[in-house]
Amino acid sequence: VQLIESGGGTVQAGGSLRLSCVVDGRGFTMYAMAWFRQDPGKDRECVAAISWVDDFTYYQDPVKGRFTISRDNFKRTLYLQMDSLKPEDTAVYYCAATRANYAEEVVIDQTKMDYWGKGTLVTVSS
């Protein structure tokens, strides 16, 4: 199973970007997916997560109201719409998936993720 991210880039503060993550693999049933981000020298943190079947979602407080996570089950694609971007949103963003049942304490914990993408860089200039 591979997770393939796209959509990163450089944008001015206040702008928008949409990240995509395609799940490439057969016979894999996912239960939850998430977007993590990491600044150099900092721990990787979960910014948003979603269950694959139901509509459970999680958002980290700093991104609430600005980021929207969604998925297209038919296309096996996860999205992260990022609006009103701030310089502090600059980071490498990673797509992750777990076979565990969705629960907030699971999806925010990077050690519970089973699969990871390689990351895509988002840079927000002031």
Side-chain angles (χ1 to χ4, degrees), residues 16-81:
S16 299
L17 284 173
R18 188 175 82 155
L19 305 183
S20 299
C21 173
V22 176
V23 180
D24 185 12
R26 295 183 178 180
F28 176 56
T29 300
M30 295 169 290
Y31 293 93
M33 293 193 73
W35 288 98
F36 286 73
R37 67 184 180 188
Q38 186 171 26
D39 285 335
K42 296 184 179 180
D43 289 337
R44 196 171 294 188
E45 58 184 10
C46 179
V47 295
I50 190 168
S51 58
W52 201 249
V53 178
D54 301 311
D55 292 326
F56 298 114
T57 57
Y58 161 84
Y59 292 97
Q60 189 189 39
D61 284 346
V63 309
K64 283 182 179 177
R66 300 189 297 120
F67 290 11
T68 303
I69 190 170
S70 62
R71 79 274 189 265
D72 184 324
N73 292 4
F74 181 74
K75 294 182 178 179
R76 297 168 67 88
T77 303
L78 177 73
Y79 302 100
L80 184 67
Q81 177 67 40

